[in-house]
Every structure is written in C-alpha cells, then in structure tokens.
Amino acid sequence: MEWLVDHNQVVSIAVQIVTALVWIIYLQLLLQNFRRERRSKLLLTRVAGGHERGHLMLGNMGAEPIFVKALLADLVIDGKTYHSIASDSGGFAPFADSGPNESIKGPLKTADYRDLGRISDLVDVALEFSDLPEDAKQVESVVFTVLAESSRDNILTAGRLCFDVYHAGEHQRFLPQTSSTVQLRSFRKRRELASRLKEMLEQEARAFLTSEDGQRRERGAELQQLRHRQRQSEKDRQADAPHEAAE
C-alpha cells in the first residue's frame, strides 16, 4: 500500500496508458465491423453442372444493393489472353428478344441473385466480339469479371472467377479454378476495370461511326424520322392492347 502511495503518479500514468490502449482496440474493432458491413461482396458460382448447359450465377452477398454494369471475359487461347465482354454493356451484344429485362445489367438487392446465362453462351459472345487471329484453335480457360456499382458511391466493385475449359469431342466442360470468388477491391484494380469498360464503349462507338461503305456516320437525327418512328410505336402498342386484354 505504501508503494502505491509512493508511486501514485507512475500508477496513474500506467492506468491512463492501459485505458487508452483499450479504447484504441475497441475503436479498431468498431471500425473493422463498420467497414465489413459496408464492404460489397459479389459471388459468382456455377450451377446446373459444368457441362455446356451449366449456368453462371451472380449473388449479391454485401449489405447494400448494387447495380450490375457489365460482365467482362478474358479468354486464354493458345497461351495468349484476349480481352472481351460477355454482356450487352459497353459491347455489341444486343438485348434478348424478350426485352431489356433479360439483360445482365440491372439492380440487385442484398442476398439476391441473378442468372447470367449459360457459360457456353457467354463464351460464344466473348469469342464473337474479341479480336482473335485466324489461326486461333482452342480456348484453354476463361476468366469472368462482373462489374457493379454500389448505392453509396460511384466506385466500381468487382468479383472474378476463372474456369478451365476441357474438350471431349464435341462436348466441353467448365471447371472453376477456385472454390470462391476473388473480390477486386484495390484502387488500382478498380481504375483498371473502369478504363477497360471505357475502352469497350469507345470500341462500340468506333465500330458504329465507321460504316461498311467507309463513310463516317454524321451526328444528329432527322426529326421527321423520329416522329414517324414514334407514331409507328404508338400504333403497335394500340394494336397489342386488345390482344393483351383478351388474354
């Protein structure tokens, strides 16, 4: 007891240091929990088997809703990597015949999922719009990267899953290289993916502006054509209304 009285100043300093360390640890835990709750997490997985009929499923496992913007595809063919896109965002693939609601793009709530389509079909789209040499032979692997935007900011978030492609006659199998989706959260990766998406948009613009006859498209549209198209669309809706009412 006398020792505590004689060294009360030292004990007081020690207690203050311990209290400060406890508060620092407590605040660190709160910060980590806060960041974990706000951190986005995209889950890509293969469903319905690994053959041609297997589908690629996207799930939003983060705490906030997201908006899916694009699905990129990196094709490894004959040992070389070719960048492409497997969605209608920033590329050339049109909407499905049933309408834009079948698009890969769109909002996705927390703990919700979306079927991105058959893996073989996604690979076909990527092959169609990639700049492949004529002597290209076999697809060895494909890397799918889904790009999304969270509701709290306009920074891209991304998830990536790689598949090895095996050929057995006319059939193919897509086997994932890892059991979990790789989350791309670094600033460098996000900036790289944003630049790549911008490049795809520019590529689409270049392909459209230069027509097959070599003449560059002119900016602007005739008002008469726009009004005629609007009237025609209104007539089509009026014609479909009785059929929908009958159904």
Side-chain angles (χ1 to χ4, degrees):
M1 197 68 180
E2 294 180 358
W3 184 91
L4 292 176
V5 175
D6 296 338
H7 300 83
N8 62 342
Q9 189 174 2
V10 176
V11 173
S12 177
I13 294 174
V15 171
Q16 291 178 7
I17 293 175
V18 172
T19 304
L21 290 175
V22 171
W23 274 108
I24 291 174
I25 295 174
Y26 180 69
L27 291 175
Q28 182 70 16
L29 292 175
L30 287 178
L31 179 61
Q32 289 181 355
N33 186 53
F34 177 76
R35 293 180 61 185
R36 189 182 300 112
E37 289 180 353
R38 292 177 64 88
R39 181 178 293 175
S40 60
K41 185 174 182 180
L42 305 179
L43 177 62
L44 287 171
T45 186
R46 181 195 61 182
V47 295
H51 43 70
E52 294 93 337
R53 295 185 296 275
H55 284 228
L56 186 65
M57 188 75 70
L58 168 64
N60 177 22
M61 306 308 296
E64 297 185 356
I66 60 172
F67 189 94
V68 182
K69 301 195 69 173
L71 181 65
L72 304 180
D74 296 327
L75 303 165
V76 179
I77 301 176
D78 302 333
K80 297 182 179 180
T81 302
Y82 299 90
H83 299 306
S84 186
I85 195 164
S87 67
D88 55 12
S89 176
F92 310 97
F95 285 122
D97 293 337
S98 54
N101 59 326
E102 299 295 331
S103 170
I104 288 176
K105 296 191 299 181
L108 200 60
K109 298 179 181 179
T110 302
D112 204 354
Y113 64 90
R114 174 171 298 159
D115 184 4
L116 302 183
R118 289 187 180 182
I119 299 178
S120 57
D121 292 340
L122 297 174
V123 172
D124 289 341
V125 173
L127 287 172
E128 183 178 358
F129 302 115
S130 59
D131 190 14
L132 297 177
E134 295 182 358
D135 57 349
K137 295 181 180 179
Q138 283 191 336
V139 180
E140 300 169 5
S141 62
V142 57
V143 182
F144 290 112
T145 304
V146 61
L147 302 182
E149 207 170 280
S150 65
S151 59
R152 58 184 174 86
D153 51 37
N154 58 355
I155 300 178
L156 286 177
T157 180
R160 176 173 289 171
L161 188 61
C162 308
F163 289 91
D164 288 326
V165 184
Y166 292 89
H167 303 266
E170 298 181 355
H171 300 283
Q172 300 174 349
R173 292 196 68 86
F174 301 92
L175 302 182
Q177 295 181 358
T178 57
S179 59
S180 59
T181 306
V182 178
Q183 304 298 315
L184 306 177
R185 298 193 180 101
S186 67
F187 177 77
R188 183 179 64 85
K189 283 291 185 182
R190 292 179 177 184
R191 185 174 60 180
E192 176 185 335
L193 293 172
S195 300
R196 185 171 165 188
L197 186 59
K198 181 180 179 181
E199 181 183 350
M200 291 293 178
L201 291 170
E202 293 175 350
Q203 183 180 358
E204 179 186 14
R206 288 194 299 269
F208 175 77
L209 292 176
T210 304
S211 56
E212 295 181 357
D213 56 8
Q215 296 181 357
R216 184 176 176 83
R217 301 295 186 188
E218 295 182 359
R219 184 179 180 182
E222 294 290 339
L223 287 176
Q224 185 176 359
Q225 294 180 357
L226 292 175
R227 289 166 179 166
H228 174 73
R229 189 177 297 115
Q230 184 178 8
R231 287 193 295 267
Q232 187 64 37
S233 178
E234 184 66 25
K235 290 180 180 179
D236 294 339
R237 284 196 298 268
Q238 293 176 357
D240 293 339
H243 298 286
E244 294 178 356
E247 294 176 357

